[in-house]
Amino acid sequence: MQETINYAVNSQLDRAGFFALRLLPGSDLSKKLKEKYQLNYEHSFISKPDWLPDNLTEEDILRTLQKVYWKFYFRPKRLWNLLNDIPVSQTKYILKAMINYHLFKLW
């Protein structure tokens, strides 16, 4: 997981999306994990992980997602490019989305 985060942060990308693993019911991976883990499909699409590895909690994964968004987007060049592409009329919607995804929860 950390290698993927480092790769994205150090890339030349201006935008990226980071999510907890979403298993598709019936996929090879979901069948394999179903034998070892209790899978949870009862939540919204990206709010919680479908499964947890033995060494991580749901809180660990969600906190990591918050940190990676901060680490990726709050670099001067990326932030500048992102802000330049947002129409002023969209600002309130962007802030609302950031709050809904708990990006400000780190403070």
Side-chain angles (χ1 to χ4, degrees), residues 36-47:
K36 296 170 100 175
Y37 302 97
Q38 178 73 24
L39 302 181
N40 178 11
Y41 296 108
E42 300 299 322
H43 50 75
S44 66
F45 181 62
I46 60 172
S47 63

Side-chain angles (χ1 to χ4, degrees), residues 60-74:
D60 293 333
I61 291 174
L62 297 177
R63 185 109 173 119
T64 299
L65 287 171
Q66 290 172 345
K67 286 181 180 181
V68 73
Y69 271 102
W70 275 95
K71 193 172 181 180
F72 183 86
Y73 280 106
F74 288 90

Side-chain angles (χ1 to χ4, degrees), residues 15-52:
R15 290 170 183 77
F18 305 96
F19 305 95
L21 177 63
R22 183 69 183 169
L23 297 168
L24 298 175
S27 68
D28 290 342
L29 184 56
S30 70
K31 290 175 188 174
K32 184 177 181 179
L33 293 174
K34 189 176 183 180
E35 297 170 8
K36 296 170 100 175
Y37 302 97
Q38 178 73 24
L39 302 181
N40 178 11
Y41 296 108
E42 300 299 322
H43 50 75
S44 66
F45 181 62
I46 60 172
S47 63
K48 296 182 180 181
D50 290 333
W51 73 283
L52 298 170

Side-chain angles (χ1 to χ4, degrees), residues 14-15 78-88 90:
D14 283 331
R15 290 170 183 77
R78 281 193 186 113
L79 191 54
W80 177 256
N81 289 340
L82 183 65
L83 293 174
N84 278 330
D85 287 345
I86 298 173
V88 173
Q90 298 294 316

